[in-house]
Amino acid sequence: MKVTSAEFIISAVSPKQYPTEGLPEIALAGRSNVGKSSLINKMLNRKALARTSSRPGKTQTLNYFLVNKSLYFVDFPGYGYAKVSKSLKSQWGGMIDTYLTSRKELKFIIQLVDIRHAPSKDDVAMYEYCKQIGLDTVVVATKGDKIARGRWQQHLKVIRNTLNMRPSDTLIVFSSETGQGKDELWAEINRRLNEAGDPQAATAPKSP
Ligand code: GTP
Ligand code: MG
């Protein structure tokens, strides 16, 4: 099965705007500029469905993308961007926190970290928070094209250690430039949706 349709649905600023059909949702979290919107575009075979920018802080709302009319990707605002004002930060915190703790449709989180750097304090806090509230997390190391393949393992080890991941926790190298990791991530998504016993899972897209 392929991605046959991908649509931007809404930039939600409040829960009242979240979709109401009860379809499964997967949220993308990570620092500003880590490549969340780029990953969504790559996964959906679209160049600019999710807006990307070299200027951090582009995404500031919960952006809903509907895939094959059966699943939502939810693009989060990036955290850890110094220029975001304090009031916006607390607004962000409140919105994300409410979503993470109370959104029943949310099946799991894809947390993105840059393969080149050790995860930040914010990354660690996010990862630990999701664990604490019982949210399943898939960690994706982005921008795999920026370092030589021969050095991936060394960098993945730093990521695993810093996040205190268990050996069984999933960590996937991704590149929105080359498509590295795209099939693997789709396989992981399908597996998790199926495991959740979700009736929608049968129609979730496989790697295109
Ligand atoms: P915010 O919306 O600010 O939170 O950022 P984001 O996480 O959505 O990042 P975005 O996808 O906008 O990407 C930020 C910058 O990194 C852009 O200039 C992208 O082109 C670049 N980028 C993202 N992914 C990759 C990748 O896999 N490889 C390379 N080389 N560049 C990437
Ligand atoms: Mg973005």
Side-chain angles (χ1 to χ4, degrees), residues 48-177:
L49 189 65
R51 289 179 68 192
T52 63
S53 170
S54 51
R55 211 159 41 85
K58 186 81 204 163
T59 310
Q60 305 214 326
T61 47
L62 291 195
N63 294 337
Y64 273 85
F65 298 90
L66 179 59
V67 187
N68 289 5
K69 306 210 183 289
S70 65
L71 162 75
Y72 283 104
F73 279 159
V74 184
D75 194 7
F76 272 17
Y79 51 73
Y81 177 48
K83 280 190 185 155
V84 173
S85 74
K86 241 189 177 162
S87 68
L88 190 63
K89 256 190 188 164
S90 52
Q91 202 185 317
W92 183 97
M95 183 170 67
I96 298 292
D97 190 51
T98 306
Y99 177 86
L100 290 175
T101 51
S102 61
R103 184 71 175 165
K104 292 199 174 53
E105 289 84 347
L106 176 63
K107 298 303 170 197
F108 62 93
I109 294 279
I110 298 177
Q111 183 171 358
L112 286 71
V113 294
D114 190 319
I115 195 166
R116 294 170 296 175
H117 314 297
S120 68
K121 276 189 181 145
D122 287 330
D123 291 328
V124 175
M126 180 76 195
Y127 188 75
E128 281 178 354
Y129 183 66
C130 290
K131 276 239 153 112
Q132 206 183 339
I133 62 175
L135 252 183
D136 207 10
T137 304
V138 173
V139 180
V140 168
T142 63
K143 309 193 183 184
D145 58 285
K146 294 234 185 194
I147 60 170
R149 194 176 271 259
R151 293 180 56 214
W152 283 358
Q153 283 314 319
Q154 185 188 331
H155 286 249
L156 295 181
K157 203 173 162 192
V158 172
I159 292 169
R160 278 194 180 276
N161 287 344
T162 311
L163 292 179
N164 200 14
M165 293 174 72
R166 286 177 303 228
S168 60
D169 289 341
T170 312
L171 176 58
I172 296 172
V173 178
F174 195 89
S175 166
S176 53
E177 289 288 315

